Amino acid sequence: MPTLMVTGGCGFIGSNFIRLILANQPGLAVVNLDKLTYAGNPENLAEIADDSRYIFCQGDIADRSLVDSLLVEHRIEAIVNFAAESHVDRSLLDSSPFVQTNIVGTQVLIDAARAASVRRFVQVSTDEVYGSLGSTGAFTESTPLAPNSPYSASKAAADLLVRAAVHSHGFPGVITRCSNNYGRFQFPEKLIPLFISNALDHQPLPVYGTGENVRDWIHVDDHCRGIAAALRDGDVGEVYNFGGNAEMSNIDLTRKLLGLLDRPESLIRFVPDRPGHDQRYAIDCSKAESELGWSPEIGFGEGLSVTVAWYLANTDWVERIRSGEYREFYKQQYGERLGDG
Ligand code: NAD
Ligand code: TYD
């Protein structure tokens, strides 16, 4: 059976992608290579763990001999690389795992994929590689790269390594760049699940700066459909932007979440800003619309309500995460900020 390797499949987007692929493509098997860092959670895939078309391997994308042997053993036809350190705030505290996984790990995957003559490689990237926008305009695929955080710089580096492999070696790489995702199984360090979980616990919601920073929100299912379309129909060497056409300031979003959860606005705490905080992201996804026949289908209002309902129904999942390593990070990241707030 044709087999796809998904890396980082126990994380937020990767786990949603694997579920989508197994449901929609009955003729395809999936090998999930995941290191199980703090963000990797096999529980995210509990419902498909026994599917005969699903194979899990715990390991590091930077481990060349492991990747080589998996590609040969499972005769992998294509790779979708989700594996990454993904949180901007953590990259500001310690950038080394970002450099190691996002840059070195991606190059190891490229080298191994070339050696095994893999037919397609999709690099899952982010709009943050383009830097920050003022109050108008939107990122297109030809916007110059201008990353501002160690996270986004490491993702931009990985994109350039894919680009270089395409240019130099005819490597079958495709790059996707998406705006901020939300939805089920998102680790509660990111804005939406963090604020839902804190509000449910009657804890303060730490809004950075004045809360006027703007993000373009996309439901994870729309992003996953886009990646599947890029895998199927994307042209080698091309970049495809995905966005949700749903720009909102952080403070408006915070108020919306509090309304949905029936919690008071007195929970809002303005805390010292994130260093180098990008002001605004907005995505022009007309290329994906015209060339991949893709467009976002889930409106932000609908998607947010469904997501809030999922977190309400899955408080055990959140609590298991919040009682582990996460406590230390939370203290380091928010201890003083909330004390000052
Ligand atoms: P996540 O942090 O939830 O998951 C990352 C996964 O990668 C985890 O399962 C982790 O265990 C695994 N991993 C980390 N290092 C690894 C390594 N060295 N080898 C193997 N596995 C490793 O991240 P996410 O939010 O699901 O993001 C997935 C990808 O999508 C990332 O590449 C990210 O840059 C990109 N992206 C995310 C967003 C977003 O809004 N979350 C938007 C655009 C692009
Ligand atoms: P985040 O979910 O970390 O995604 P990204 O930094 O990749 O956009 O943050 C989304 C926005 O929310 C961003 O402008 C930073 C802001 N934010 C807060 O105001 N408070 C928080 O505690 C967090 C985690 C984020």
Side-chain angles (χ1 to χ4, degrees):
M1 182 178 287
T3 305
L4 174 69
M5 174 182 277
V6 172
T7 69
C10 292
F12 163 46
I13 307 173
S15 60
N16 281 293
F17 181 77
I18 290 176
R19 247 192 313 278
L20 177 94
I21 288 289
L22 290 178
N24 292 355
Q25 299 196 38
L28 202 59
V30 172
V31 171
N32 173 15
L33 171 61
D34 194 300
K35 187 178 174 183
L36 298 184
T37 67
Y38 78 91
N41 186 351
E43 265 191 71
N44 298 359
L45 287 168
E47 72 205 60
I48 54 101
D50 295 330
D51 192 315
S52 60
R53 291 182 295 131
Y54 173 68
I55 300 146
F56 174 64
C57 174
Q58 181 172 2
D60 191 332
I61 57 166
D63 180 343
R64 176 68 192 266
S65 59
L66 172 66
V67 177
D68 279 344
S69 64
L70 287 172
L71 295 183
V72 171
E73 181 188 348
H74 299 286
R75 293 203 223 123
I76 299 293
E77 296 208 337
I79 299 176
V80 182
N81 182 27
F82 292 92
E85 291 291 333
S86 69
H87 191 35
V88 172
D89 291 322
R90 288 189 191 247
S91 78
L92 294 162
L93 293 171
D94 177 10
S95 56
S96 54
F98 289 76
V99 171
Q100 176 59 24
T101 287
N102 300 3
I103 305 177
V104 176
T106 299
Q107 184 62 51
V108 169
L109 281 181
I110 292 169
D111 292 340
R114 283 186 56 226
S117 302
V118 165
R119 296 212 326 241
R120 179 56 50 104
F121 183 97
V122 177
Q123 173 66 10
V124 180
S125 187
T126 164
D127 62 350
E128 301 190 28
V129 298
Y130 298 121
S132 182
L133 291 166
S135 53
T136 57
F139 299 129
T140 70
E141 289 79 359
S142 51
T143 301
L145 303 189
N148 289 320
S149 72
Y151 163 66
S152 53
S154 68
K155 294 295 292 184
D159 288 9
L160 293 178
L161 292 171
V162 173
R163 180 196 139 88
V166 171
H167 184 79
S168 304
H169 301 296
F171 182 64
V174 173
I175 296 169
T176 63
R177 296 188 180 134
C178 190
S179 63
N180 287 63
N181 286 221
Y182 69 97
R184 64 184 102 75
F185 297 112
Q186 186 168 29
F187 194 89
E189 65 189 355
K190 305 281 168 45
L191 180 76
I192 289 180
L194 173 69
F195 281 16
I196 294 173
S197 319
N198 280 19
L200 288 176
D201 284 352
H202 304 274
Q203 297 296 313
L205 311 189
V207 174
Y208 296 159
T210 58
E212 280 152 12
N213 305 70
V214 172
R215 296 294 182 263
D216 166 30
W217 295 97
I218 181 171
H219 192 276
V220 65
D221 288 347
D222 278 334
H223 184 194
C224 289
R225 283 192 308 100
I227 294 166
L231 175 65
R232 197 180 49 240
D233 299 325
D235 286 333
V236 168
E238 291 297 317
V239 176
Y240 299 94
N241 282 352
F242 301 123
N245 297 325
E247 280 186 57
M248 195 174 282
S249 72
N250 294 337
I251 190 63
D252 285 349
L253 173 54
T254 304
R255 294 205 169 100
K256 203 171 167 59
L257 285 170
L258 287 170
L260 285 169
L261 290 159
D262 199 20
R263 290 289 189 272
E265 294 198 0
S266 57
L267 285 178
I268 296 173
R269 293 284 188 287
F270 291 100
V271 299
D273 210 351
R274 170 187 281 173
H277 195 172
D278 285 338
Q279 180 55 38
R280 176 173 163 263
Y281 302 144
I283 280 271
D284 177 338
C285 48
S286 50
K287 178 175 171 183
E289 288 175 343
S290 61
E291 296 186 15
L292 300 178
W294 171 92
S295 57
E297 289 175 0
I298 302 171
F300 193 34
E302 177 202 346
L304 205 56
S305 300
V306 172
T307 301
V308 165
W310 187 87
Y311 279 89
L312 280 168
N314 289 277
T315 49
D316 290 357
W317 180 89
V318 175
E319 279 322 307
R320 277 194 288 280
I321 290 171
R322 279 162 73 97
S323 60
E325 177 270 359
Y326 184 70
R327 275 174 181 277
E328 279 312 302
F329 164 73
Y330 197 88
K331 213 161 68 192
Q332 197 179 3
Q333 177 65 18
Y334 295 104
E336 266 184 42
R337 279 191 166 92
L338 283 170
D340 295 345

